Amino acid sequence: MPSSSMNKNETNEQKQSLLKNDDKQNKTDTGANIILIGAPGSGKGTQSTRLVERYQICQISTGDLLRQATQDKTSLEGEKIRRVMETGGLVDDETVMSLIDKSINKPECRNGFLFDGFPRTIYQGEQLEQLLESRQKRLDAVLEYAIEDDHLKRRILGRLIHKSSGRTYHEEFNPPKQPMKDDITGEKLERRSDDTNETLSARLTTYHKQTKPLIDFYRQRNIHRSIDATQSVNDVSKQSIEIVDYLRKQTTYKPSTSAIRQTETDDTLTIKSKSIINQRDVDTSHLSNNFLFIYNAVISVLRDRGII
Ligand code: AP5
Ligand code: MG
């Protein structure tokens, strides 16, 4: 056999073996810290199930945790939370942060976590940064499921849930095998009490006013990516995984709360860097957001290579 052909065969075998290794690596390559941001019905819960399985991490859904807290009908606190949820507002930050604080320490979160519907305000985002910093953890990816409000009514009004497991169905897009019954347990499916026309409008208003500003907050930190959430469930999952896999490997600049102070002045976002470069104090307050993005990326590369 000519040597060139031998080499070709060897190369092919090597390629096959590399592919197999890649496959193996993908199966064992777990762990990630992810945030899902999106309007009501954008698919956060649906995608969470798939992402936690892929990365072997825990799901922390503040919506689910708060719904559990409303189960005790005798608790005043539960009643207060239920009222807020049914009017489409946000539950107070103190209650939410205490739920997060407890959840993040669970053994199933050892490999990483996925926040579904948290944070929902800039304040919660800042609190989370502090919490992660104190645990020496960092976020890998913030996925925004982008979808126009008009698409959401059909999704929300057709949703069916299995309360004890959190499994979600849709009358039209993802029907259960038997009408109104959970596929696994055969138990009765229900509708969420906030899945009404009226509450949906209030939830959307809250999302646009209080949660959307977080997109810029995470864009500044180089970990935000937007995904078209009108695609099929499978396509959204595929893109989510591609993005998380990519971002997990990046060493781009991800500032901590001590490195960055953010203030809004006359609608202009002013960022004052305090300790991007340890040796020097650089004032970047006069830089535009686009320039600041490039500046941070350059600093990050220089720092990773030990140049500064
Ligand atoms: P939460 O439970 O988080 O509700 P939400 O944000 O309004 O989002 P949803 O759960 O309604 O939608 P989803 O994005 O999970 O969509 P899903 O995958 O189910 O919060 C509820 C309330 O709790 C809040 O309003 C607030 O009061 C309070 N709260 C929660 N967190 C808080 C916080 N951090 N701070 C303060 N208050 C907080 O999909 C919807 C439907 O569409 C399903 O039927 C599904 O089958 C279908 N579907 C999904 N993807 C697709 C697709 N690609 N194509 C077709 N159909 C699809
Ligand atoms: Mg949900």
Side-chain angles (χ1 to χ4, degrees):
M1 200 183 287
S3 63
S4 60
S5 151
M6 279 267 288
N7 286 342
K8 202 176 163 195
N9 284 340
E10 273 174 12
T11 310
N12 282 340
E13 275 164 25
Q14 278 166 358
K15 270 189 198 158
Q16 286 300 325
S17 136
L18 274 176
L19 280 175
K20 274 187 196 150
N21 280 341
D22 267 5
D23 265 6
K24 257 190 229 157
Q25 200 188 357
N26 278 341
K27 279 183 194 129
T28 53
D29 188 13
T30 59
N33 296 329
I34 306 168
I35 286 179
L36 300 187
I37 295 186
S42 57
K44 303 183 295 295
T46 305
Q47 298 300 331
S48 292
T49 319
R50 292 164 173 238
L51 292 170
V52 297
E53 200 174 303
R54 161 64 184 85
Y55 295 105
Q56 298 292 301
I57 54 179
C58 69
Q59 178 194 5
I60 303 177
S61 156
T62 38
D64 288 347
L65 292 171
L66 290 165
R67 268 183 289 281
Q68 275 163 25
T70 62
Q71 292 307 299
D72 179 2
K73 307 279 182 215
T74 59
S75 138
L76 279 178
E77 181 64 15
E79 182 53 24
K80 200 173 111 196
I81 294 172
R82 190 185 61 76
R83 258 193 315 232
V84 175
M85 290 174 83
E86 284 184 5
T87 48
L90 290 185
V91 175
D92 65 282
D93 290 328
E94 203 188 322
T95 305
V96 172
M97 288 315 301
S98 105
L99 288 172
I100 293 294
D101 211 16
K102 281 180 215 149
S103 305
I104 211 169
N105 291 327
K106 287 185 183 165
E108 57 266 36
C109 297
R110 216 175 292 131
N111 211 17
F113 44 78
L114 179 146
F115 289 120
D116 160 3
F118 170 85
R120 262 171 147 99
T121 59
I122 295 280
Y123 177 79
Q124 289 181 9
E126 286 171 346
Q127 291 290 300
L128 177 64
E129 274 192 345
Q130 280 176 22
L131 201 109
L132 294 180
E133 201 175 53
S134 68
R135 286 165 171 77
Q136 294 183 329
K137 290 180 195 290
R138 70 176 195 185
L139 290 169
D140 294 302
V142 176
L143 306 180
E144 174 202 353
Y145 291 144
I147 184 165
E148 295 292 325
D149 290 1
D150 300 346
H151 286 81
L152 298 171
K153 198 167 156 189
R154 220 158 127 203
R155 284 200 186 177
I156 288 289
L157 299 183
R159 172 165 53 191
L160 303 168
I161 54 159
H162 179 240
K163 222 171 190 172
S164 55
S165 68
R167 270 185 290 278
T168 304
Y169 300 85
H170 192 280
E171 285 173 330
E172 205 183 328
F173 309 132
N174 176 27
K177 288 181 188 139
Q178 286 186 51
M180 293 308 281
K181 285 195 177 159
D182 176 44
D183 288 352
I184 312 283
T185 61
E187 285 165 359
K188 198 170 160 276
L189 298 179
E190 294 174 44
R191 289 180 197 276
R192 263 171 49 178
S193 58
D194 58 344
D195 280 353
T196 63
N197 239 329
E198 204 184 28
T199 310
L200 175 61
S201 316
R203 283 157 70 194
L204 285 171
T205 307
T206 306
Y207 175 72
H208 289 293
K209 263 199 193 149
Q210 293 184 259
T211 306
K212 266 201 142 174
L214 274 170
I215 289 167
D216 266 344
F217 179 86
Y218 286 117
R219 210 174 258 147
Q220 296 288 347
R221 284 147 176 82
N222 300 338
I223 50 174
H224 159 271
R225 296 291 186 278
S226 182
I227 294 173
D228 173 5
T230 59
Q231 302 175 94
S232 72
V233 171
N234 280 345
D235 285 347
V236 176
S237 303
K238 202 167 152 258
Q239 267 188 31
S240 302
I241 290 168
E242 276 169 11
I243 291 171
V244 173
D245 282 348
Y246 173 77
L247 285 174
R248 273 190 318 168
K249 293 187 189 120
Q250 299 308 301
T251 50
T252 45
Y253 175 57
K254 295 175 186 178
S256 66
T257 39
S258 59
I260 202 153
R261 291 279 169 267
Q262 189 172 320
T263 47
E264 303 253 10
T265 345
D266 298 325
D267 289 328
T268 316
L269 194 66
T270 311
I271 306 269
K272 285 198 174 148
S273 166
K274 283 288 174 203
S275 57
I276 290 174
I277 305 171
N278 289 336
Q279 297 91 330
R280 270 165 279 171
D281 210 14
V282 179
D283 178 13
T284 57
S285 57
H286 55 287
L287 302 180
S288 74
N289 284 344
N290 284 345
F291 191 81
L292 187 70
F293 182 84
I294 297 165
Y295 171 84
N296 281 338
V298 171
I299 292 295
S300 159
V301 171
L302 295 175
R303 203 177 48 171
D304 287 344
R305 298 192 177 177
I307 296 167
I308 56 171

